[in-house]
């Protein structure tokens, strides 16, 4: 087919005529026809006005012909099944608005007035006017646009060039628009994806609406008052809504479900939460309504409401379940759907084990049941209730791939737009897919992305859901930071080292690597599938390893308590793995519980070398994949945290090196090799850390700075009494001398300040020697320990 466009062809002229009349013109002609026909009848009835009556009939006839011609001949002008040139396949509403000479700019202005192109522009958040200004006004440039339009037809279902295809062709085949799209973080493939989205929508609306049977089908159902009270009629819901979702993810599984139910077996749908088990049942209910399975004709799907049923006391539950199954059996056309089926097959709070009730019903093929399980719950049923599990035909529901997931999210977002009266942009869909994959690992696609979109709806602005709204939803619900760093935070990140050094003395390399990792994470350039940063700190006691973690938590994460601290010396037995991964609320030492409550934090693993090897093996997964999995198969994310492991291993070697006058710059590799050869660390663990940092012992000059930092802490405490303490240089020197211990670093300093400075202040306060607003100056004589 050539790319010539004849705007004087018969189809082009009919299209312009159709456009000129339009729906309003057709209605007006019909009204005129009715009015003048009435006038004609009235005039003929009077007799002496016959000439006027005939004239009125002529006008009525002409108006009726125009109305009927539009309705049956002009309203929809199909494309030529054997096209030879462009006017044979351009959608007639678009063809009607094209005027010679056709340039990219004029083609865009014609397309943008049509709903298909408006859909693409709005969902991509593009400014149609700005685009028009960039486009060429040269007629010769349309050649490549028409070629691209024809190429896009092959990827779409409608066999014609509608306004959406022309708009997509202009966006993807115009060199001048490449930078325009890049600035808006859009790729050509995404334009084509949105085009496919609108094509699916158009195809759905042009499909004949399904027929779900009539009164005979409704009368086929038995009397089921208890089921109606404790269940939801899925079939009825599908019928009232006009059908299930029009893009079916697992359509290949319907026949298997029908076959199993026809043979009298129960069906177990096995898949992670969010894979679409409930949606699959809705689609199956629609197929039943359409009469696709003769063996299941007139069957309806009823979903039991677990929360309502389980609200009954244990003594009444068994009787209630027997009544529900009895009504289903008597009705003869009920398929029971047990969503969250594990609640019906386990004992304990909030559940009820109805295995003994259901098993004989399934074995005798008296009632048809579809039950939805997660893989972990199904494994438990197989282990504890083998006979019951064997009564079900298991069907695995896998997580769809990325392109399929995007289609489900796009099509479902149309329903969200209708519910919330807000436009869901493509960038919001893209961000929901990305962030739900990063922070909602406990669920599967597409459910988790749809959940996030719905959670983001309250954060939409001006009837628009964009990426910022999705980011806000994640930040509010998950307690993490995902949006771009704004000016105050960006300034803090750029000067993070200075702020940390206000609390911590020296150890510049350690401070630098941690600050750099946090900057990479917030700028979005680090690996999103791993922690923001992971570090192994080696060095003697009291040199600032733990203090750096506290400083980072206080300075950037907002509070020193925004830190998860575990003393790994408490995890030296194999069974301690269970404590670490516990999900019960009674275990205060559970790492998974802590990170789920506080995902945006510093995770400090003190004395990591003392942990049992099984614990260290867990760390490999945490450092590599940024997550750990509990006993129920649910992951917990560490991808928004900084992992710091500390160890005193090699402290003697570091101290000896410094004492000899050597530096630690080139000592890291020899020390690590020694620790690995001694068996203190496994190479696979050390290699998982982003960086290993050596901390050197503090000298007396640095210890003096530490003492001043600690004194600022004392003054912070005294501020409530409006008091300030100051040490003379001699007093400060004495404290540093008393608190200096090469083996324990700065740790003795805190005890010395407590014994001397804090005691001296306490005595002065109790003696009444101080007044609010005064400064307490302490000299050497004042620092004698109080007995």
């Amino acid at each position: 087919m050539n790319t010539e466009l004849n705007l004087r062809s018969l189809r082009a002229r009919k299209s312009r005529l159709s456009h000129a009349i339009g729906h309003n013109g057709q209605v007006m002609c019909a009204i005129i026809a009715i009015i003048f026909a009435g006038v004609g009848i009235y005039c003929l009835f009077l007799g002496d006005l016959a000439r006027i009556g005939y004239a009125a009939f002529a006008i009525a006839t002409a108006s009726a012909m125009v109305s009927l011609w539009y309705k049956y001949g002009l309203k929809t002008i199909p494309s030529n099944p054997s096209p030879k040139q462009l006017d044979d396949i351009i959608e007639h509403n678009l063809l009607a608005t094209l005027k010679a000479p056709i340039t990219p700019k004029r083609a865009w202005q014609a397309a943008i007035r049509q709903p298909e192109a408006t859909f693409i522009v709005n969902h991509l958040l593009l400014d149609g006017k700005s685009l028009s200004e960039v486009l060429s006004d040269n007629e010769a440039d349309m050649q490549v646009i028409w070629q691209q339009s024809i190429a896009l037809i092959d990827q779409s279902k409608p066999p014609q060039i509608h306004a959406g295809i022309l708009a997509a062709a202009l966006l993807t085949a115009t060199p001048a628009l490449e930078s325009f799209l890049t600035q808006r973080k859009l790729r050509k493939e995404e334009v084509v994806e949105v085009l496919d989205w609108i094509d699916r929508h158009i195809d759905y609306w042009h499909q004949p609406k399904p027929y779900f049977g009539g009164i005979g089908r409704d009368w086929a159902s038995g009397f089921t008052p208890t089921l109606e009270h404790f269940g939801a009629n899925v079939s009825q819901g599908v019928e009232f809504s006009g059908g299930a979702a029009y893009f079916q993810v697992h359509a290949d599984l319907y026949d298997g479900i029908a076959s199993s139910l026809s043979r009298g077996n129960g069906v177990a749908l096995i898949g992670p939460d969010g894979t679409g088990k409930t949606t699959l049942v809705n689609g199956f209910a629609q197929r039943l309504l359409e009469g696709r399975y003769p063996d299941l004709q007139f069957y309806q799907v009823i979903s039991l409401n677990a929360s309502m049923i389980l609200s009954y006391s244990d003594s009444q539950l068994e009787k209630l379940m027997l009544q529900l199954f009895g009504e289903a059996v008597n009705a003869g056309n009920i398929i029971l759907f047990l969503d969250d089926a594990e609640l019906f097959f386990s004992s304990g709070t909030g559940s009820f084990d109805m295995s003994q009730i259901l098993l004989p019903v399934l074995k005798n093929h008296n009632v048809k049941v579809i039950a939805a399980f997660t893989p972990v719950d199904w494994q438990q049923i197989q282990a504890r209730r083998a006979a019951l599990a064997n009564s079900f035909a298991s069907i695995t529901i896998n997580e769809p791939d990325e392109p399929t997931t995007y289609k489900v999210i796009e099509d479902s977002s149309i329903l969200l737009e209708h519910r919330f009266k807000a436009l869901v942009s493509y960038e919001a869909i893209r961000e929901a897919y990305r962030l739900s994959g990063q922070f909602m690992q406990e669920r599967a696609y597409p459910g988790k992305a749809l959940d996030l979109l719905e959670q983001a709806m309250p954060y939409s602005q001006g009837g628009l859901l964009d990426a910022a709204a999705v980011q806000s939803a994640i930040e509010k619900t998950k307690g993490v930071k995902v949006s771009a760093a704004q000016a105050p935070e960006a300034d803090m990140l750029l000067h993070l080292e200075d702020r940390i050094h206000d609390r911590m003395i020296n150890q510049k390399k350690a401070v630098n690597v941690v600050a750099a990792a946090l900057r990479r994470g917030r700028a979005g350039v680090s690996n999103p599938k791993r922690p923001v940063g992971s570090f192994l700190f080696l060095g003697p006691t009291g040199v600032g390893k733990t203090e750096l973690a506290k400083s980072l938590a206080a300075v950037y994460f907002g509070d020193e308590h925004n830190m998860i601290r575990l003393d790994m010396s408490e995890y030296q037995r194999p069974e301690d793995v269970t404590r670490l991964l516990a999900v019960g609320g009674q275990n205060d030492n559970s790492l998974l519980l802590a990170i789920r409550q506080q995902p945006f934090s510093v995770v400090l693993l003190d004395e990591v070398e003392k942990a049992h090897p099984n614990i260290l093996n867990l760390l490999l997964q945490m450092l590599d994949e940024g997550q750990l999995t509990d006993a129920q198969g649910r992951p917990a994310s560490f991808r928004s945290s900084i992992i710091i492991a500390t160890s005193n291993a090699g402290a003697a070697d570091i101290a000896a090196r410094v004492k000899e006058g050597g530096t630690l710059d080139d000592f890291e590799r020899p020390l690590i090799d020694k620790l690995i050869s001694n068996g203190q660390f496994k190479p696979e663990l050390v290699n998982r850390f982003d960086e290993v940092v050596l901390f050197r012992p503090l000298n007396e000059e640095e210890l003096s700075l530490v003492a001043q930092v600690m004194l600022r802490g004392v003054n912070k405490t005294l501020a409530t009494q409006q008091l300030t303490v100051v040490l003379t240089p001699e007093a400060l020197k004495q404290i540093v001398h008393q608190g200096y211990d090469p083996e324990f670093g700065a740790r003795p300093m805190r005890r010395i300040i407590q014994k001397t400075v804090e005691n001296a202040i306490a005595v002065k306060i109790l003696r009444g020697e101080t007044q609010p607003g005064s400064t307490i100056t302490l000299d050497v004589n004042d620092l004698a320990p109080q007995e």
Side-chain angles (χ1 to χ4, degrees):
M1 186 185 71
N2 61 50
T3 55
E4 292 182 7
L5 175 58
N6 182 5
L7 294 180
R8 299 184 61 81
S9 67
L10 176 60
R11 188 168 182 272
R13 293 199 300 271
K14 287 177 65 177
S15 297
R16 287 192 290 273
L17 181 59
S18 171
H19 182 73
I21 297 173
H23 173 72
N24 292 337
Q26 184 253 330
V27 172
M28 182 61 67
C29 286
I31 293 173
I32 291 173
I34 294 171
I35 292 173
F36 276 89
V39 170
I41 293 172
Y42 177 77
C43 291
L44 289 176
F45 180 77
L46 291 178
D48 54 350
L49 297 176
R51 184 173 297 179
I52 296 175
Y54 289 130
F57 274 125
I59 295 172
T61 302
S63 299
M65 289 177 63
V66 172
S67 177
L68 291 172
W69 186 28
Y70 176 85
K71 184 175 182 179
Y72 295 105
L74 296 178
K75 184 177 182 180
T76 301
I77 303 175
S79 57
N80 192 329
S82 302
K84 296 180 180 179
Q85 53 192 24
L86 287 172
D87 46 279
D88 288 332
I89 59 169
I90 294 179
E91 193 270 333
H92 73 282
N93 287 315
L94 174 61
L95 183 59
T97 58
L98 293 175
K99 296 180 181 179
I102 301 176
T103 67
K105 178 176 290 189
R106 298 186 70 178
W108 175 263
Q109 292 168 348
I112 203 64
R113 291 197 289 268
Q114 304 296 325
E116 300 90 349
T118 303
F119 182 96
I120 293 176
V121 170
N122 288 346
H123 285 83
L124 289 175
L125 301 183
L126 296 174
D127 181 1
K129 185 177 180 180
S130 300
L131 275 167
S132 179
E133 293 173 355
V134 176
L135 288 167
S136 162
D137 221 353
N138 186 352
E139 189 174 4
D141 292 338
M142 278 302 297
Q143 181 72 16
V144 67
I145 305 301
W146 292 128
Q147 290 172 350
Q148 178 71 348
S149 298
I150 294 170
L152 290 173
I153 288 180
D154 297 334
Q155 302 175 31
S156 63
K157 293 179 182 178
Q160 58 184 356
I161 298 176
H162 56 66
I165 290 177
L166 179 56
L170 286 161
L171 289 170
T172 56
T174 304
L177 291 183
E178 288 186 12
S179 60
F180 188 91
L181 295 176
T182 302
Q183 290 173 2
R184 286 152 183 80
K185 300 180 181 179
L186 287 173
R187 295 177 290 111
K188 293 180 180 179
E189 294 81 2
E190 292 171 332
V191 176
V192 176
E193 175 64 25
V194 177
L195 172 62
D196 183 55
W197 181 7
I198 183 61
D199 277 343
R200 289 196 308 276
H201 201 52
I202 293 171
D203 184 60
Y204 170 73
W205 284 109
H206 282 87
Q207 286 179 3
K209 294 299 176 274
Y211 174 69
F212 293 139
I215 192 170
R217 187 214 69 210
D218 296 330
W219 281 0
S221 177
F223 186 57
T224 55
T226 312
L227 273 175
E228 290 173 8
H229 180 71
F230 288 97
N233 192 316
V234 176
S235 300
Q236 198 173 73
V238 169
E239 183 175 7
F240 286 166
S241 63
Y246 51 90
F247 182 78
Q248 298 292 333
V249 185
H250 306 292
D252 57 321
L253 301 178
Y254 290 132
D255 292 345
I257 296 173
S259 176
S260 297
L261 292 174
S262 298
R263 295 196 306 270
N265 294 327
V267 174
L269 304 179
I270 304 162
D273 290 336
T275 49
K277 300 187 290 294
T278 304
T279 304
L280 178 65
V281 172
N282 288 339
F284 180 69
Q286 176 171 328
R287 295 203 167 200
L288 291 176
L289 289 169
E290 293 170 351
R292 299 202 187 190
Y293 304 110
D295 293 342
L296 299 173
Q297 191 172 12
F298 301 134
Y299 269 82
Q300 299 185 58
V301 181
I302 304 293
S303 176
L304 294 184
N305 188 321
S307 59
M308 185 180 294
I309 292 171
L310 296 173
S311 65
Y312 271 59
S313 64
D314 291 343
S315 60
Q316 295 176 308
L317 268 175
E318 184 172 349
K319 180 181 178 181
L320 175 61
M321 295 307 302
L322 287 171
Q323 188 172 352
L324 290 170
F325 285 127
E327 287 187 0
V329 171
N330 292 332
N333 69 332
I334 299 297
I335 299 172
L336 293 178
F337 174 46
L338 308 180
D339 208 352
D340 296 323
E342 69 277 4
L343 297 176
F344 294 101
F345 298 108
S346 58
S347 55
T349 305
S351 59
F352 171 67
D353 191 352
M354 65 173 189
S355 305
Q356 300 306 316
I357 301 174
L358 183 60
L359 184 56
V361 175
L362 288 173
K363 283 187 174 295
N364 295 326
H365 308 311
N366 290 329
V367 69
K368 301 184 186 302
V369 176
I370 301 175
F373 297 93
T374 66
V376 173
D377 293 327
W378 178 246
Q379 290 172 7
Q380 292 175 353
I381 292 291
Q382 288 179 310
R384 293 186 289 105
R385 304 281 187 270
L388 179 67
N390 292 335
S391 300
F392 285 97
S394 61
I395 296 178
T396 301
I397 313 296
N398 294 315
E399 190 176 52
D401 59 21
E402 182 175 339
T404 302
T405 299
Y406 265 96
K407 287 180 173 60
V408 175
I409 302 171
E410 290 161 2
D411 293 352
S412 300
S413 68
I414 297 294
L415 301 177
L416 290 177
E417 289 184 341
H418 179 72
R419 272 176 57 196
F420 293 95
K421 310 301 181 188
L423 184 141
V424 179
S425 66
Y426 185 77
E427 74 168 30
I429 292 173
R430 185 175 57 195
E431 195 71 352
Y433 181 89
R434 182 181 74 87
L435 293 179
S436 63
Q438 189 171 351
F439 297 105
M440 300 171 70
Q441 297 96 330
E442 68 278 5
R443 285 177 57 78
Y445 286 121
K448 60 184 177 184
L450 292 173
D451 286 348
L452 180 53
L453 271 184
E454 189 162 350
Q455 292 170 15
M457 280 298 180
Y459 302 97
S460 60
Q461 297 289 330
L464 170 65
L465 184 69
D466 56 7
V470 178
Q471 292 167 358
S472 296
I474 276 287
E475 291 183 344
K476 298 295 184 183
T477 59
K478 297 296 181 180
V480 297
K481 288 188 178 183
V482 295
S483 58
Q486 300 303 312
E489 184 190 0
D491 182 71
M492 176 184 287
L493 285 166
L494 292 171
H495 300 93
L496 192 57
E497 291 90 338
D498 297 336
R499 294 173 182 265
I500 292 176
H501 281 305
D502 286 342
R503 289 177 48 109
M504 184 179 169
I505 304 305
N506 210 329
Q507 310 301 356
K508 291 184 178 179
K509 181 179 180 182
V511 173
N512 291 344
V513 296
V514 171
L518 197 50
R519 281 193 288 267
R520 290 194 302 269
R522 289 297 288 122
V525 297
S526 60
N527 187 343
K529 295 185 178 180
R530 299 190 67 204
V532 173
S534 58
F535 308 99
L536 175 59
F537 290 171
L538 300 177
T541 297
V543 294
K545 301 190 297 296
T546 301
E547 183 60 31
L548 175 52
K550 289 182 178 180
S551 299
L552 184 63
V555 171
Y556 183 74
F557 291 86
D559 193 295
E560 190 173 300
H561 298 292
N562 279 348
M563 179 174 70
I564 300 169
R565 182 176 183 178
L566 294 180
D567 185 349
M568 303 309 288
S569 64
E570 298 178 4
Y571 297 88
Q572 297 185 12
R573 300 170 301 171
E575 56 268 27
D576 288 333
V577 171
T578 305
R579 279 200 303 132
L580 200 68
L581 301 180
V583 292
Q586 297 179 350
N587 193 325
D588 294 335
N589 294 323
S590 170
L591 178 58
L592 295 198
L593 283 178
I595 198 64
R596 282 173 177 162
Q597 294 170 0
Q598 201 169 299
F600 186 63
S601 60
V602 178
V603 178
L604 177 62
L605 308 175
D606 259 337
E607 300 186 276
V608 69
E609 80 283 0
K610 295 181 180 179
H612 190 274
N614 290 359
I615 301 288
L616 298 179
N617 289 335
L618 281 177
L619 296 185
L620 297 179
Q621 180 189 355
M622 181 174 72
L623 297 174
D624 230 9
E625 303 173 10
Q627 65 181 32
L628 289 176
T629 306
D630 63 27
Q632 298 179 2
R634 297 177 302 181
S637 175
F638 291 82
R639 294 171 180 174
S640 295
S641 60
I642 286 184
I643 313 295
I644 296 177
T646 70
S647 174
N648 295 333
D653 298 276
I654 292 174
R657 175 86 170 185
V658 173
K659 190 174 182 180
E660 293 169 0
T663 66
L664 300 180
D665 295 338
D666 56 352
F667 190 54
E668 176 189 317
R669 190 70 257 171
L671 180 61
I672 291 297
D673 291 340
K674 181 179 179 180
L675 296 177
I676 291 174
S677 63
N678 290 344
Q680 291 181 273
F681 285 110
K682 291 184 178 180
E684 56 268 28
L685 176 61
V686 175
N687 290 332
R688 291 302 196 284
F689 288 102
D690 293 337
E691 193 148 359
V692 178
V693 183
L694 306 187
F695 282 63
R696 64 173 181 79
L698 300 175
N699 56 38
E700 286 199 43
E701 181 181 348
E702 292 164 343
L703 206 58
S704 175
L705 296 174
V706 171
Q708 293 177 48
V709 170
M710 292 180 178
L711 286 171
R712 287 203 295 270
V714 174
N715 277 322
K716 187 176 181 181
T717 303
L718 291 174
T720 58
Q721 302 183 55
Q722 299 184 23
L723 296 175
T724 306
V725 63
V726 175
L727 297 187
T728 64
E730 292 77 12
L732 179 61
K733 185 175 181 181
Q734 178 173 305
I735 286 178
V736 172
H737 179 72
Q738 291 175 345
Y740 180 65
D741 189 328
E743 183 178 353
F744 294 102
R747 287 193 175 175
M749 179 63 67
R750 194 172 301 279
R751 293 192 296 271
I752 294 298
I753 289 178
Q754 186 179 51
K755 284 183 178 182
T756 58
V757 176
E758 292 181 8
N759 282 356
I761 295 171
V763 169
K764 289 182 178 293
I765 291 174
L766 293 174
R767 288 176 177 172
E769 297 175 3
T770 62
Q771 297 294 328
S774 62
T775 298
I776 305 170
T777 302
L778 300 179
D779 202 355
V780 174
N781 295 332
D782 299 310
L783 300 181
Q786 303 294 321
E787 298 297 336

